[in-house]
Amino acid sequence: MVYIIAFLAALICAVLNERFSPSIRKSLLITLCVYVILVLGLRYRVGVDTLNYMNTYRFIPTLDQFFYNNTAKMIRYEPGFLFVCCLCKTLYGDFWTVQIIMAALTNSCIFYFIYRSCKNPFVGIVFYFILQCLYFNTEIMRESAAVAIFLLNFKNLQEKKWLNYYLLACLSLMFHYSAIVIFFFPFASWLKPNYIFLVLCICFLAITPLVEQLNQLLNIAAVSGRVEQYIDGAEDLNLNWRIGELIRSALPAFAVIIAYKLSKQESPFQHMLLLQILFCMGAFAIPIIFSRFTNYTTLFVTVGAANVLTLRGAGMWIKSGIVAVIIVSQSYYYYAMKDRWFPYCSIFYPENNRERNQVYRHDFLPWLKNM
């Protein structure tokens, strides 16, 4: 129910958006953002990665031990997230304070990016709820913070303020090492929807049988724990997962590009949409590496889809098609992930969900699968 309240509120605001004054629009967005931060920050054992973070939190030291060399080696978190955990452990102690801070960081940056990038920001928020919200806030807390900082930093990339861009890129890297990919994003402007791009995509698909040995080596490294920052559950990244990832992540991006083409307009984020598709093709060939990178471009699909619905040159069938593609492409994903996120529990009425614990044992304690 708490999820539906936010979704319906955003949907109603999206319909009434043109009737709002700028000040009312900002107030409603802030209210909606605060609501999301509180709901996701005060959750209790919602999200399987959250369970892993909670179990690890027991070993987090206080802030006075943060700068000890052995602390980072023992916990193996990036320094930004480790600092947040140490700070919360020192000031309060309970893990929900970490959730509040991370939810505030992630959602405030994402809401601001959507507000700045969408003609009707509430449509962008609706699509964010469908496409990324639960996954970002409950499963990849560290990486979602890195992504959110990058989205705040994207204006520097657009304006080619390289010093500011790379300084903030270093801040993203402090929360998740996969953010190293954004250091190469200035080259994304070279991507065009042409034959060269098509050849790149085909090459990624064509080399898939040739890199299976590489995938196996990377899987071994991930299971051993050292390459955790790239992908969790490497053993589950089989052919079914790859096809599902193409449908979930690549199809909406492709649909947005086609929608702009049919409307005879060009998205200001076209190169990022193409990069999303390219990362998805890379994830099909080498999932252990490229599947993480799509998190840094997926919000451009969200704002691109939202802006399609406000294009004057887009017919109703194009807009309906975008909505249909987003809903259909995510349907099986929600079916597969439902036990991670539903039902919702808060710290005020804590419950230990049996199905969620079983998923946790499958993902993080594989030796207990058959027990």
Side-chain angles (χ1 to χ4, degrees), residues 87-311:
L87 180 65
C88 293
K89 195 70 171 287
T90 302
L91 297 180
Y92 191 82
D94 286 353
F95 182 74
W96 68 264
T97 55
V98 177
Q99 295 181 162
I100 281 284
I101 291 176
M102 298 304 293
L105 173 60
T106 297
N107 290 286
S108 59
C109 291
I110 289 176
F111 269 65
Y112 180 71
F113 173 73
I114 291 174
Y115 170 74
R116 193 173 61 190
S117 305
C118 295
K119 184 176 180 181
N120 185 337
F122 296 106
V123 177
I125 298 301
V126 168
F127 286 157
Y128 166 59
F129 287 161
I130 296 174
L131 294 170
Q132 296 99 11
C133 187
L134 293 179
Y135 176 64
F136 269 35
N137 285 277
T138 67
E139 302 297 339
I140 55 168
M141 290 170 57
R142 290 146 53 211
E143 191 171 20
S144 63
V147 172
I149 294 169
F150 161 67
L151 295 175
L152 198 65
N153 191 20
F154 184 69
K155 188 175 181 181
N156 289 322
L157 179 60
Q158 288 178 305
E159 297 176 354
K160 299 182 179 180
K161 296 180 179 178
W162 302 124
L163 179 60
N164 293 341
Y165 176 74
Y166 281 108
L167 286 175
L168 278 176
C170 290
L171 184 58
S172 287
L173 197 64
M174 297 286 281
F175 280 90
H176 204 278
Y177 294 138
S178 64
I180 190 67
V181 70
I182 68 177
F183 284 73
F184 302 96
F185 274 15
F187 301 107
S189 59
W190 296 355
L191 293 176
K192 305 293 180 184
N194 51 26
Y195 288 112
I196 296 177
F197 178 78
L198 181 61
V199 169
L200 285 173
C201 292
I202 293 174
C203 286
F204 271 123
L205 295 177
I207 66 172
T208 301
L210 304 178
V211 296
E212 283 304 313
Q213 189 63 35
L214 174 61
N215 282 321
Q216 290 177 12
L217 293 174
L218 289 171
N219 287 352
I220 293 170
V223 171
S224 69
R226 187 57 254 170
V227 196
E228 185 273 336
Q229 64 265 30
Y230 293 113
I231 192 71
D232 296 320
E235 60 186 14
D236 295 325
L237 305 185
N238 52 28
L239 181 61
N240 291 336
W241 181 92
R242 297 177 190 187
I243 295 174
E245 184 66 11
L246 281 180
I247 295 173
R248 183 180 73 90
S249 300
L251 184 59
F254 183 75
V256 171
I257 292 175
I258 294 298
Y260 270 96
K261 187 71 174 178
L262 293 174
S263 303
K264 298 180 180 180
Q265 299 186 50
E266 184 174 322
S267 169
F269 307 117
Q270 177 175 268
H271 61 295
M272 301 304 292
L273 295 172
L274 293 173
L275 188 59
Q276 167 78 357
I277 295 173
L278 195 61
F279 282 158
C280 290
M281 297 302 172
F284 191 90
I286 314 175
I288 196 71
I289 295 177
F290 286 94
S291 56
R292 281 292 189 186
F293 295 162
T294 59
N295 293 325
Y296 292 88
T297 49
T298 181
L299 259 299
F300 296 96
V301 179
T302 297
V303 298
N307 286 333
V308 166
L309 299 193
T310 60
L311 287 178

Side-chain angles (χ1 to χ4, degrees), residues 11-56:
L11 193 61
I12 292 171
C13 290
V15 174
L16 301 177
N17 178 65
E18 293 186 358
R19 302 183 184 182
F20 298 146
S21 65
S23 59
I24 292 178
R25 185 178 296 111
K26 290 179 183 178
S27 298
L28 289 171
L29 280 169
I30 292 172
T31 302
L32 195 56
C33 183
V34 171
Y35 176 83
V36 171
I37 291 171
L38 291 177
V39 166
L40 295 171
L42 298 176
R43 70 186 187 276
Y44 179 75
R45 298 176 69 86
V46 176
V48 172
D49 277 15
T50 293
L51 300 184
N52 191 48
Y53 285 126
M54 292 177 70
N55 290 333
T56 306

Side-chain angles (χ1 to χ4, degrees), residues 300-333:
F300 296 96
V301 179
T302 297
V303 298
N307 286 333
V308 166
L309 299 193
T310 60
L311 287 178
R312 294 186 180 276
M316 185 57 65
W317 69 274
I318 295 178
K319 298 177 181 180
S320 301
I322 286 292
V323 175
V325 166
I326 288 178
I327 293 175
V328 172
S329 66
Q330 306 304 304
S331 58
Y332 181 78
Y333 177 68

Side-chain angles (χ1 to χ4, degrees), residues 303-369:
V303 298
N307 286 333
V308 166
L309 299 193
T310 60
L311 287 178
R312 294 186 180 276
M316 185 57 65
W317 69 274
I318 295 178
K319 298 177 181 180
S320 301
I322 286 292
V323 175
V325 166
I326 288 178
I327 293 175
V328 172
S329 66
Q330 306 304 304
S331 58
Y332 181 78
Y333 177 68
Y334 272 89
Y335 172 78
M337 301 288 282
K338 65 181 185 303
D339 289 335
R340 295 170 177 257
W341 304 331
F342 305 96
Y344 173 84
C345 299
S346 75
I347 61 171
F348 303 109
Y349 301 99
E351 294 182 13
N352 210 335
N353 185 270
R354 181 173 176 270
E355 288 76 15
R356 199 167 294 147
N357 291 335
Q358 289 178 340
V359 177
Y360 169 74
R361 288 171 59 170
H362 176 276
D363 287 359
F364 292 98
L365 306 173
W367 59 90
L368 296 178
K369 287 180 184 178

